[in-house]
Amino acid sequence: MDPNDWQIVKSTPLFGAMPDDAAHRLIGRHGSTVYEKGALLFQQGDPAAAFYVILDGWVKVYRMTPEGDEAVVGMFSRGESFAEAAIFLGGQYPACAEVATPSRLVKIDGKVLRTMIHDNPDLALSMLASASYHLKFLVEQIEQIKLLPGSRRLADFLVQLCPCQEGTCEIGLPYEKALIAGRLGMKPESFSRALAKLRALGVTTDHERVTISDVTVLAAYAETGENQNLVAPLTKA
């Protein structure tokens, strides 16, 4: 791992609150591993033996419903960690994790972390920081799904991808539209309708490329839901 990789690791809530010597001891000399799209990191119910930090790419965490459908719990990307709490919750992963795009991850042994916390209880504060971050993320996600219409959820998602805060911006969708729909709590057909509705706000698509004519306008709609140019939802995708 090079200095840039370590900077990414230290940006996570878990390692950001951890002394450098403890972080190096925890990660050791294993370094990072490259995973292809579709690689299954762990399945729901597997023994929780490790957690991960993402250096590049996207990872989907999901649960299987009784009907056999996927319920996306979260999509995690560069500078985020996941599954660290699972190693303390009954010894099993409560969800599945699959690599959504070609990715580079750091895999960290959970047994080593538990031993380190036993020897140095102050490290438990790092775990609390990480758990609080994930809890905040889940609360915000649930709030969005319950309170905001699909078009505003999608607008907010696109704004978060924009590297600029105003003017025209062109972005690439980070992963498949079906996964984005699941992340936003929508069915694929609802996602298509939401995307069509945003055309009135200057949002156009060409396969995986999205052009936003005015980021400020889209951000205002995501925040308030108000825009006089916005037409009523279409009945067909």
Side-chain angles (χ1 to χ4, degrees):
M1 290 174 55
D2 61 30
N4 289 333
D5 292 337
W6 277 107
Q7 186 175 2
I8 293 172
V9 169
K10 290 294 291 182
S11 72
T12 65
L14 174 61
F15 288 97
M18 186 181 294
D20 288 347
D21 60 338
H24 281 78
R25 178 185 168 193
L26 183 56
I27 292 178
R29 299 182 178 180
H30 301 296
S32 62
T33 302
V34 176
Y35 295 85
E36 294 298 322
K37 175 182 175 181
L40 189 64
L41 301 175
F42 53 79
Q43 290 184 299
Q44 187 174 326
D46 283 351
F51 61 99
Y52 299 81
V53 176
I54 304 177
L55 300 178
D56 291 295
W58 289 83
V59 173
K60 172 181 68 171
V61 176
Y62 63 96
R63 287 179 61 89
M64 298 303 299
T65 68
E67 293 76 23
D69 298 323
E70 290 184 5
V72 178
V73 175
M75 296 294 300
F76 297 91
S77 187
R78 179 186 177 96
E80 294 184 301
S81 60
F82 62 95
E84 59 269 43
I87 62 175
F88 297 102
L89 298 176
Q92 293 183 332
Y93 291 114
C96 308
E98 180 182 309
V99 177
T101 67
S103 302
R104 193 161 57 95
L105 313 177
V106 178
K107 183 178 181 179
I108 301 164
D109 191 292
K111 184 177 180 180
V112 174
L113 177 59
R114 289 193 296 270
T115 300
M116 289 177 62
I117 290 177
H118 182 270
D119 296 338
N120 183 4
D122 287 343
L123 291 178
L125 294 176
S126 299
M127 289 297 302
L128 287 175
S130 182
S132 297
Y133 169 81
H134 288 304
L135 178 60
K136 179 177 181 292
F137 169 80
L138 288 173
V139 168
E140 291 175 348
Q141 184 176 354
I142 292 171
E143 183 180 55
Q144 268 204 347
I145 291 174
K146 284 190 172 182
L147 300 180
L148 300 183
S151 56
R152 284 182 62 188
R153 280 178 257 157
L154 179 56
D156 180 71
F157 177 82
L158 295 176
V159 169
Q160 296 302 318
L161 294 177
C162 291
C164 55
Q165 297 182 343
E166 59 183 12
T168 301
C169 185
E170 183 177 306
I171 57 177
L173 296 178
Y175 40 87
E176 292 95 334
K177 293 177 182 178
L179 281 184
I180 297 175
R183 161 66 180 81
L184 299 177
M186 293 188 284
K187 296 291 186 181
E189 57 270 22
S190 300
F191 177 87
S192 297
R193 287 195 293 269
L195 193 58
K197 186 174 181 180
L198 294 184
R199 290 174 191 159
L201 292 172
V203 177
T204 57
T205 60
D206 182 9
H207 298 287
E208 305 306 314
R209 304 299 300 176
V210 178
T211 301
I212 301 168
S213 61
D214 192 328
V215 177
T216 303
V217 171
L218 189 63
Y221 173 69
E223 183 175 355
T224 67
E226 297 180 359
N227 190 287
Q228 56 184 317
N229 294 327
L230 195 61
V231 296
L234 301 181
T235 57
K236 294 184 179 181

